[in-house]
Amino acid sequence: MIALAAGGGWWWKQRNTAADGASVAAGAPAARAPGRFSAGGQVQPVSVGVVRRQDVRVMVQAIGTMSARATAVVRAKVGGELTALHFREGQQVKAGQLLAEIDPRSYQAALGQVQGSLQRDQALLRNAQLDLQRYKDLLAQDSIATQQVDTQAALVRQLEGTVAAGQAQVDAARLQLGYTRITAPIAGRLGLRQADRGNVVGPSDANGIVTINLVQPIDAAFAVPEAHLASITRRLAEGADLPVELWDREQKRRLARGRMSALDNAIDPTTGTIKVKASFANEDGGLFPNQFVNVRLQLDVLPNALTVPGTAVQNNYVYLVQPDGTVTQRRIRVGVADGDRVSVEGELNDGDQVVTDGIDRLREGAKVAVIDAGVAARADEAAQDAGARRAALLRSLTQAERDKLATMSPDERRAFLRARRQQAGGAAPPAAAASAASATVR
């Protein structure tokens, strides 16, 4: 029985050994591999940014609308038919520039009529003045009654009033005639015309002839939370200029830079905000009234603040790359953001490297390999350019050429595409690009 037990134990041991060997030969893992996030796992590729000290602007972001500095609707001051238009839609005009003309003939006739009446009254006045002088000479010789002299003097004063009224009528008629030449009341940019040549226009027209908006300079109106009111008033009391930047809808392109020009005198109780106005030179004319803009108002500047890229911050932590190629978490206190960088406070030094891309694959002590973001970006751009050139080349082929290309061998395709590229004036594509083009056609 002892011999049988020993023999059975030896047989069981040999069987297990053979089974383990078969499992290893079949490719089964002999031990558990390190986990993805374990310290002994693979080296994780990451992108990094540099911690540096710089001046950080304290910005307030808001949504604003552009408004013209002044707006004027050009209307005719007298009624009549438009005989000429001297402007183009969208044109920049100066104050006093001639824009349109109204048929002046009826106003010229009215002016001539009142001028004739004035000349008649002036002649009567001159005659009465001469008679008054004669009467005064006769009165001095005691040859005429005083009453007659007084009556003539009263007649002279009456005719002087008549002449003054006639002169006023002439001036009014001349003014009406001048209104037949319609000029720009302010400088600015013209809108679309509302009347054409041959239309009868008048002072009661609601739309007028054209609208002028003064857009150089132009204003932006926006609202900021009342929590920033104390900082704004303090800076204004110090006599500081508060810079303002305008950005497009996607906040990727800066439209203009200007200065804060006015602050409202009351807070809106429904929104808890106060209205602010900023002015911009708009020298290139790129800003239009009623345009939507994203506004960034600079309240202050934090000098020599410690900053990190904004993409490196995750839940008030950053991953610091250590000299041995591992990362460690550092808790930070996040401050204000200025562009793509954020001011922070924590155990970081100027020049340290923090992870900006690949944070989700890391944990404390993980090994990392730093990737040059510039090289990766240039490789992506090169690949995109090659793909665009390949697509353009394929679009230039006729249907017959595409059918012929589909029946070629890989070497023939490369030669054909290289020849077409040379005919187009470009450099011959590399073998890989030609192969990709062939695969696309296939």
Side-chain angles (χ1 to χ4, degrees), residues 34-170:
R36 178 185 177 190
F37 297 101
S38 63
Q42 288 186 344
V43 176
Q44 300 295 335
V46 295
S47 298
V48 298
V50 180
V51 180
R52 66 169 180 261
R53 291 192 174 274
Q54 65 180 42
D55 293 342
V56 177
R57 300 174 299 173
V58 180
M59 309 292 288
V60 176
Q61 297 191 7
I63 296 174
T65 305
M66 305 307 299
S67 60
R69 179 66 60 87
T71 300
V73 179
V74 179
R75 295 186 177 91
K77 295 182 179 181
V78 294
E81 178 185 349
L82 278 178
T83 57
L85 294 174
H86 301 284
F87 64 88
R88 300 187 310 274
E89 295 171 319
Q91 174 186 353
Q92 288 282 349
V93 297
K94 299 179 180 179
Q97 181 174 334
L98 180 63
L99 300 179
E101 293 184 68
I102 295 176
D103 186 2
R105 291 175 295 179
S106 61
Y107 299 98
Q108 289 175 342
L111 175 60
Q113 183 178 1
V114 295
Q115 284 178 335
S117 299
L118 176 61
Q119 291 176 357
R120 181 198 59 195
D121 295 337
Q122 287 175 338
L124 293 176
L125 175 61
R126 181 60 180 167
N127 183 58
Q129 289 174 341
L130 292 175
D131 289 344
L132 177 60
Q133 185 61 39
R134 295 190 191 97
Y135 291 164
K136 288 182 178 179
D137 294 340
L138 293 175
L139 180 61
Q141 300 174 4
D142 199 17
S143 300
I144 193 173
T146 303
Q147 181 181 1
Q148 191 173 358
V149 175
D150 295 339
T151 302
Q152 188 64 27
L155 178 62
V156 168
R157 289 192 295 271
Q158 178 182 352
L159 293 176
E160 287 176 348
T162 303
V163 169
Q167 184 63 52
Q169 292 177 355
V170 169

Side-chain angles (χ1 to χ4, degrees), residues 1 34 45 94 109 158 262 271 281 284 330 410:
M1 292 179 65
K94 299 179 180 179
Q158 178 182 352
T271 60
D284 59 352
R330 292 292 173 85

Side-chain angles (χ1 to χ4, degrees), residues 217-364:
I218 193 171
D219 296 328
F222 55 97
V224 299
E226 61 178 316
H228 301 290
L229 182 58
S231 299
I232 294 175
T233 54
R234 176 178 56 82
R235 295 285 291 166
L236 293 178
E238 294 172 355
D241 288 334
L242 300 184
V244 180
E245 295 181 353
L246 299 182
W247 292 74
D248 60 359
R249 288 181 178 269
E250 292 76 20
Q251 298 200 30
K252 295 181 179 179
R253 185 171 64 92
R254 185 173 58 203
L255 302 177
R257 287 179 175 176
R259 291 288 184 271
M260 176 180 164
S261 59
L263 183 67
D264 203 358
N265 60 354
I267 296 174
D268 187 351
T270 59
T271 60
T273 59
I274 186 168
K275 293 182 179 179
V276 181
K277 183 179 287 187
S279 61
F280 302 86
N282 196 25
E283 296 176 353
D284 59 352
L287 300 175
F288 284 77
N290 301 326
Q291 179 181 355
F292 171 87
V293 289
N294 285 293
V295 184
R296 298 180 184 178
L297 171 64
Q298 178 179 333
L299 295 182
D300 206 347
V301 177
L302 301 179
N304 200 28
L306 194 66
T307 64
V308 299
T311 54
V313 180
Q314 188 178 47
N315 297 329
N316 293 327
Y317 283 94
V318 294
Y319 277 100
L320 175 66
V321 179
Q322 301 186 106
D324 60 355
T326 62
V327 294
T328 181
Q329 274 190 342
R330 292 292 173 85
R331 185 173 182 83
I332 58 173
R333 184 188 304 169
V334 180
V336 297
D338 185 3
D340 58 351
R341 299 192 69 85
V342 181
S343 65
V344 296
E345 295 180 5
E347 298 179 1
L348 297 175
N349 298 318
D350 192 7
D352 286 346
Q353 290 184 333
V354 292
V355 178
T356 58
D357 189 15
I359 300 176
D360 57 333
R361 300 190 300 270
L362 301 180
R363 74 171 188 87
E364 180 68 25

